[in-house]
Amino acid sequence: MSASLEKPYGSWESPITADLTASATVSLGQIALNGKIIYWTETRPHEGGRCVIVCQTEDGKIKDINPAPYSAKSRVHEYGGGAFLATADSVFFSNFEDQRIYRQKLEADPKPITPEGNYRYADAVFDQQRNRLICVREDHSQKGAEAINTLVAISLEDQGSISVLASGADFYASPRLSPDGNALAWLSWNHPNMPWDGTELWLAQVDKAGNLAQEQSVAGSREESIFQPEWSPGGVLYFISDRNGWWNLYRWYQGSVAAVIQMEAEFGLPQWIFGQSTYAFTAADRIICTYSSHGISHLAVIDPASCSLKEIKTPYIAMSALRANSEQVVFIAASPTEFSAIVQLDLATEGLKVLQRSSEMTLDPGYLSIAQALEFPVADGVSAYGFFYPPKNKDFSAPAEDERPPLLVISHGGPTGAAHNALELKIQYWTSRGIAVLDVNYRGSSHYGRAYRQQLKGQWGIVDVDDCISGALYLVQQGGADPKRLAIRGSSAGGFTTLAALTFRGVFKAGASYYGVSDLEALAKETHKFESRYLDWLIGPYPAQADLYIARSPIHAVDKLSCPTIFFQGLEDKVVPPDQAKAMVNALRKKKLPVACIFFEDEQHGFCKAENISRALTAELYFYAQVFGFSLADEVEPIVIENL
């Protein structure tokens, strides 16, 4: 075996290029089953971010359903999800361009069934008895007014006529019909709550005319989050609640709530998008589920009668979007060495089969950094968590034993999101070049229980920043990072944490903000309905506590920022408006600090197009090389770094 070449950290040549990172993978999403037919979505960067519904037929053939230019993406809550529904003879989907629902009968062209107008739809179910869809509708038709969310029924017989079934709450989700079609369950919540703070589970009878009657709230409150109501084949309503401090499984039976599984583990998820699923029935007395413990996913079978759980061993550590019927379980899964994939569990043979991978790329393990789970102290005996990826490239090593690598700390979005340690090219892009990565699950992250999430209440911009800094300094103390070359990056809410860390603390020497928040007061005034009161919880009620918004906003404390920063922003972003990034860039220019920025005209909140993802990665790498003084093995298109 040949010896590795000695080159400085950051200068290693890697086969994991930006173009591969951007275009070699697709994003796998919603799964649906119809007998033996399996459907899922693929968001394809090489098709400009188009979301394609894909089908595996009974004979095992895989084909696309919605032809170009149709893209199955809902914009309800801006984040979407729950964008398609499959029935015996049709697929219904929300088309991104006009947000109308289209019906596509197999081997036919899509036809719109909802009227033109400023409406959005998501999370539909099929009411077979009445030949209609029931779904969430978001009405943006009144200019200058807040969008109106309702549950509606869409007739498939009467030229798509629409009737409102439930209204009055600020938000709705998860309409679910009982097996006999005579009862409907759904979730609702109101400002200022987000769905992971508190929701209500409602139950109503569906009368002969198709209207709701005898409505009752059966679980949930402003302090209890309900997730994924689901009917058993026998007509019992199940749901997930965090009433005991963890998202665990319950059922509503004979007028009362009963626990099914009680564990210090998370069976639920923060409902940023519609249509998420962590459990499903394979029989009236058998449930297959995924749950998370300390950031690692597990697959298990639940016996509702005995309220017992038995784990099913798999090679995967991240699992989601689980659907099942009496013959099969299908879910998205990934491992530290395998890209995410659509995986099928055959209930007859108990065998696992990969149906479709997010990437067909094969990587030599010699270039893969396997994450080390970290728990590190942050304050007053409290710990935070993360995954540390040391530099890894079989062809290269550092020229001196005592040299420490640059460290890139990742602050995830949400901020209720969660880092995992499944294979991600966007992390291996850095580690294979000699740059260590720490992906932080700061206080407020999911997967560690409600109490851990609640530690961020009123403390956004404080404890998340502290935890990112504590993680970086912990690795410096352990000899895993160079204290003079610490950088932080984040997107959306993670972009705010990044900018706050760079502005108010002097630990990091460079940073990258992807569509991050710099002005909290402007965000409170300008953002969309779903998150318009989120800051009440994260910071405090606005405008009553406007002083806190100003005090924690990087834009109002640029005089404290003293390190180079790069900004990436989509100009069509409705979640974090582009003015936030522009204002920060202008302020840094006036202060004569090193600053770079790239604005993408055709991107929204989160970049979808391969060429833009690739350009952002290479620009960020070039930026760190210039700031930290290492040469690049890649030929990278230079960017303008002002004041460097």
Side-chain angles (χ1 to χ4, degrees):
M1 184 172 66
S2 60
S4 59
L5 296 174
E6 291 185 351
K7 289 190 73 175
Y9 288 118
S11 300
W12 299 352
E13 184 178 353
S14 170
I16 304 171
T17 66
D19 284 344
L20 274 177
T21 301
S23 61
T25 61
V26 300
S27 177
L28 301 171
Q30 182 184 350
I31 293 173
L33 304 182
N34 194 336
K36 294 183 178 180
I37 303 175
I38 303 168
Y39 298 87
W40 64 85
T41 58
E42 297 180 4
T43 301
R44 298 172 177 171
H46 59 280
E47 292 189 35
R50 188 170 79 92
C51 189
V52 183
I53 303 167
V54 180
C55 167
Q56 177 177 279
T57 58
E58 290 189 36
D59 58 6
K61 294 180 180 179
I62 294 177
K63 63 179 184 178
D64 292 353
I65 298 297
N66 52 315
Y70 296 100
S71 181
K73 282 185 183 180
S74 170
R75 287 190 59 192
V76 177
H77 296 175
E78 295 298 340
Y79 296 99
F84 84 93
L85 167 71
T87 65
D89 67 346
S90 301
V91 173
F92 299 87
F93 66 90
S94 291
N95 183 48
F96 179 74
E97 184 65 26
D98 57 11
Q99 288 299 292
R100 300 171 75 183
I101 293 182
Y102 283 70
R103 180 177 192 168
Q104 184 172 354
K105 294 191 175 183
L106 301 185
E107 311 302 334
D109 292 332
K111 303 292 183 185
I113 64 166
T114 55
E116 293 182 343
N118 206 353
Y119 303 95
R120 304 172 183 181
Y121 307 88
D123 216 2
V125 293
F126 180 49
D127 184 352
Q128 187 172 8
Q129 252 187 58
R130 303 163 186 88
N131 197 24
R132 62 181 186 173
L133 305 182
I134 297 175
C135 66
V136 176
R137 183 179 71 177
E138 193 170 78
D139 179 354
H140 290 259
S141 62
Q142 298 182 31
K143 289 186 178 180
E146 186 175 72
I148 299 172
N149 294 63
T150 53
L151 287 184
V152 299
I154 304 170
S155 173
L156 299 181
E157 294 178 347
D158 188 17
Q159 297 181 338
S161 66
I162 297 176
S163 57
V164 175
L165 297 179
S167 63
D170 289 323
F171 301 99
Y172 292 89
S174 307
R176 298 294 180 260
L177 267 174
S178 60
D180 62 10
N182 294 328
L184 182 74
W186 70 91
L187 300 179
S188 70
W189 65 98
N190 291 297
H191 288 314
N193 268 10
M194 300 298 284
W196 46 87
D197 299 325
T199 56
E200 285 188 90
L201 173 60
W202 289 84
L203 178 62
Q205 299 304 303
V206 185
D207 64 24
K208 292 182 179 179
N211 299 315
L212 303 185
Q214 302 175 44
E215 296 181 19
Q216 58 176 322
S217 176
V218 299
S221 69
R222 297 186 71 86
E223 302 294 331
E224 177 187 359
S225 173
I226 307 296
F227 173 85
Q228 196 192 344
E230 207 76 61
W231 294 91
S232 75
V236 177
L237 181 60
Y238 284 70
F239 59 94
I240 289 168
S241 165
D242 68 355
R243 60 176 55 195
N244 73 339
W246 298 84
W247 270 316
N248 282 181
L249 187 62
Y250 296 82
R251 61 188 162 207
W252 170 259
Y253 185 64
Q254 293 183 343
S256 63
V257 172
V260 178
I261 293 295
Q262 300 277 275
M263 292 171 56
E264 289 191 355
E266 297 282 56
F267 291 76
L269 298 166
Q271 296 179 73
W272 282 100
I273 62 172
F274 293 95
Q276 297 178 103
S277 174
T278 62
Y279 72 97
F281 289 87
T282 60
D285 58 353
R286 192 179 192 214
I287 299 170
I288 302 291
C289 72
T290 63
Y291 68 90
S292 176
S293 177
H294 287 86
I296 305 298
S297 291
H298 302 263
L299 187 69
V301 59
I302 294 172
D303 178 357
S306 62
C307 296
S308 61
L309 177 146
K310 181 180 179 182
E311 187 170 348
I312 301 171
K313 296 296 183 183
T314 78
Y316 305 112
I317 50 83
M319 289 173 274
S320 61
L322 184 146
R323 299 292 180 186
N325 56 29
S326 60
E327 298 180 345
Q328 61 185 336
V329 183
V330 183
F331 52 95
I332 299 172
S335 81
T337 57
E338 293 183 55
F339 293 108
S340 62
I342 303 293
V343 176
Q344 178 191 52
L345 170 66
D346 188 302
L347 292 173
T349 65
E350 298 187 349
L352 292 169
K353 180 182 179 182
V354 172
L355 305 182
Q356 183 86 315
R357 298 185 187 276
S358 61
S359 175
E360 295 301 328
M361 181 181 176
T362 301
L363 289 175
D364 187 319
Y367 300 109
L368 293 184
S369 178
I370 305 300
Q372 303 168 11
L374 287 188
E375 179 177 349
F376 50 89
V378 289
D380 301 325
V382 177
S383 293
Y385 307 90
F387 294 102
F388 174 59
Y389 297 81
K392 178 70 177 294
N393 187 317
K394 68 175 185 177
D395 301 325
F396 297 96
S397 60
E401 284 189 15
D402 60 351
E403 183 182 354
R404 298 293 177 257
L407 174 69
L408 184 58
V409 173
I410 298 178
S411 172
H412 65 67
T416 57
H420 57 73
N421 61 335
L423 178 59
E424 289 276 0
L425 278 184
K426 289 182 180 180
I427 288 178
Q428 305 298 328
Y429 176 83
W430 302 106
T431 56
S432 62
R433 285 169 171 75
I435 298 172
V437 171
L438 172 62
D439 209 354
V440 182
N441 276 327
Y442 49 78
R443 284 170 286 173
S445 303
S446 298
H447 295 332
Y448 300 90
R450 185 179 179 96
Y452 194 73
R453 293 198 313 275
Q454 291 287 112
Q455 289 184 56
L456 195 62
K457 185 175 183 178
Q459 299 296 307
W460 193 36
I462 298 176
V463 302
D464 49 326
V465 171
D466 286 346
D467 294 358
C468 288
I469 288 171
S470 295
L473 294 179
Y474 177 83
L475 288 172
V476 168
Q477 294 166 2
Q478 300 296 313
D482 181 351
K484 297 181 180 179
R485 296 188 290 175
L486 301 178
I488 183 170
R489 79 191 300 261
S491 58
S492 191
F496 167 70
T497 301
T498 292
L499 293 174
L502 296 172
T503 302
F504 299 110
R505 307 289 288 274
V507 173
F508 295 106
K509 309 306 179 185
S513 169
Y514 282 73
Y515 35 93
V517 178
S518 64
D519 187 339
L520 294 169
E521 195 173 22
L523 184 68
K525 294 176 180 178
E526 297 175 9
T527 196
H528 59 117
K529 178 184 177 181
F530 181 58
E531 294 181 83
S532 63
R533 299 288 301 279
Y534 189 18
L535 298 186
D536 286 20
W537 189 91
L538 290 169
I539 300 167
Y542 183 86
Q545 293 186 292
D547 56 330
L548 281 181
Y549 285 69
I550 294 170
R552 293 190 202 170
S553 294
I555 192 63
H556 296 304
V558 178
D559 58 307
K560 297 180 181 180
L561 200 159
S562 59
C563 69
T565 311
I566 187 169
F567 296 81
F568 301 93
Q569 178 71 44
L571 292 179
E572 296 182 11
D573 194 335
K574 304 300 183 186
V575 176
V576 179
D579 287 347
Q580 296 255 338
K582 291 177 180 178
M584 199 72 182
V585 170
N586 288 334
L588 293 177
R589 282 174 178 155
K590 290 178 181 178
K591 197 183 175 187
K592 303 298 182 183
L593 277 173
V595 62
C597 58
I598 296 181
F599 295 99
F600 297 109
E601 292 185 358
D602 50 355
E603 292 285 9
Q604 299 183 43
H605 195 67
F607 302 158
C608 294
K609 298 189 176 182
E611 61 271 22
N612 296 338
I613 297 170
S614 176
R615 177 59 178 148
L617 271 177
T618 57
E620 190 180 351
L621 176 63
Y622 179 87
F623 181 77
Y624 296 142
Q626 298 302 304
V627 171
F628 292 141
F630 56 81
S631 59
L632 291 177
D634 309 66
E635 284 194 16
V636 173
E637 181 183 349
I639 60 169
V640 175
I641 305 176
E642 302 177 47
N643 305 321
L644 184 63

